[in-house]
Amino acid sequence: MNTIKDIQQEILKLKKENDICILAHSYEAHEILEIADFTGDSYALSVKAKSVDNKTVLMCGVRFMAETVKILSPEKKVILATPEAGCEMADMMDKAMIEKVKTQYPDYTVVAYVNTTAELKTICDVCVTSSSAVNVVKNIKNDKILFIPDTNLGTFVKESLPEKEIMLLDGCCPIHAAVTPDEVEMARTAHPDALLLVHPECRPDVSAMADFAGSTADIMAYAKKSDKTEFIIGTEISIAEHLQYECPDKRFYPLSGKLICKNMRLTTLVDVLDCCRGAGGEEIVLSNDTISKAKRCIDEMIRLNHE
Ligand code: 13P
Ligand code: SF4
């Protein structure tokens, strides 16, 4: 009978033989992060996608992440490990809807959270991720910003940059947005010595109660560096799990049992094995036109983040 370790060994062998690079978002399961070549938040994965040498990139994450890799490395074969893994926020707004909104705000710079489809990115000006949003928007010359689709991350950026006139629409991540201030009170009562670290996709009244708000990678870095030993984690519960593996002397408590992204949970180690055997997943195919137009706003994010 195969053990998890046997499957992992087989994946490691096949990915070498078949020149595959495995990228995994930090929300993926522990046993997938263990065999990935690179793990991180959406920003880190986007930057990595530009410099991968392998012929094939296997993305363990959701569809917009695999599309981002394809946009940045069009000459590579990019496989999404689990074709059904979408992002509920990315699916909330499409190109036709935003084209209409743009006609109402022609002098606004359209800033798209990377959690959007490749097609929608083709009509946006600049992309952001949760870790780069404040810095990138700060460096945009225009003060008028239309921020899509996440109203919660948008509010976080707006509060950080009061000098900007930021228009928001009503998209959100239904998983993060479901967490309430009452749940924060309950978690604080249960763990009075813990620091609360949240993702800015949480509601503003939840983020306002936190000791720190940042991307998945920022939350992990903060918790690892901190002298404190207890943390309430306000993002997908996998992050509390991963932190517990990495820092066994500290304690991590999920802020809410609702914080489960079923799309991020879809990919299994066996899916990854099948993809390495050339038998699973979905190859991401985008037209040259979509790639060149969508690439502009991702490149612009990387440029503005380094200004
Ligand atoms: P990060 O930018 O922190 O990777 O977040 C992506 C995401 O989908 C969070 O729900
Ligand atoms: Fe999308 Fe929310 Fe899942 Fe992140 S947690 S991938 S924003 S649905």
Side-chain angles (χ1 to χ4, degrees), residues 25 27 41-42 64-65 113 115 129-130 176 199 201 215-217:
H25 187 268
Y27 283 166
D41 66 1
S42 310
F64 77 81
M65 295 173 182
Y113 191 19
N115 300 37
T129 64
S130 56
H176 285 83
H199 198 283
E201 287 175 11
S215 77
T216 49

Side-chain angles (χ1 to χ4, degrees), residues 27 62 64 86-89 115 173-176 201 261 263-264:
Y27 283 166
V62 294
F64 77 81
C87 164
E88 291 180 55
M89 167 149 50
N115 300 37
C173 164
I175 294 126
H176 285 83
E201 287 175 11
C261 176
N263 288 294
M264 283 286 185

Side-chain angles (χ1 to χ4, degrees), residues 100-111:
K100 237 189 251 161
V101 180
K102 275 177 59 149
T103 60
Q104 293 170 263
Y105 301 98
D107 50 346
Y108 280 64
T109 296
V110 182
V111 174

Side-chain angles (χ1 to χ4, degrees), residues 36-196:
D37 294 285
F38 190 78
T39 68
D41 66 1
S42 310
Y43 186 79
L45 294 177
S46 309
V47 172
K48 191 70 194 168
K50 283 180 82 122
S51 62
V52 166
D53 299 323
N54 310 68
K55 274 203 314 259
T56 301
V57 179
L58 176 59
M59 171 56 78
C60 303
V62 294
R63 183 167 293 271
F64 77 81
M65 295 173 182
E67 286 184 346
T68 303
V69 176
K70 184 68 188 172
I71 292 163
L72 292 172
S73 289
E75 70 294 351
K76 297 194 192 313
K77 182 170 178 177
V78 178
I79 312 278
L80 173 61
T82 310
E84 305 77 34
C87 164
E88 291 180 55
M89 167 149 50
D91 293 337
M92 275 182 190
M93 290 181 194
D94 64 14
K95 188 176 161 192
M97 174 187 175
I98 299 303
E99 262 167 347
K100 237 189 251 161
V101 180
K102 275 177 59 149
T103 60
Q104 293 170 263
Y105 301 98
D107 50 346
Y108 280 64
T109 296
V110 182
V111 174
Y113 191 19
V114 72
N115 300 37
T116 42
T117 63
E119 205 194 26
L120 176 49
K121 286 186 180 81
T122 62
I123 56 155
C124 298
D125 300 305
V126 186
C127 240
V128 293
T129 64
S130 56
S131 61
S132 65
V134 173
N135 196 38
V136 169
V137 174
K138 183 175 80 187
N139 288 336
I140 294 173
K141 297 273 180 294
N142 190 0
D143 280 345
K144 293 181 172 172
I145 306 289
L146 172 64
F147 191 100
I148 62 167
D150 188 5
T151 185
N152 294 329
L153 177 63
T155 302
F156 179 76
V157 175
K158 198 172 167 144
E159 285 169 357
S160 309
L161 302 171
E163 69 279 17
K164 298 274 181 187
E165 192 183 318
I166 300 182
M167 281 279 318
L168 301 171
L169 301 182
D170 64 357
C172 68
C173 164
I175 294 126
H176 285 83
V179 179
T180 62
D182 283 351
E183 287 177 285
V184 174
E185 299 285 9
M186 273 164 21
R188 288 252 195 227
T189 306
H191 310 292
D193 297 327
L195 290 183
L196 172 64

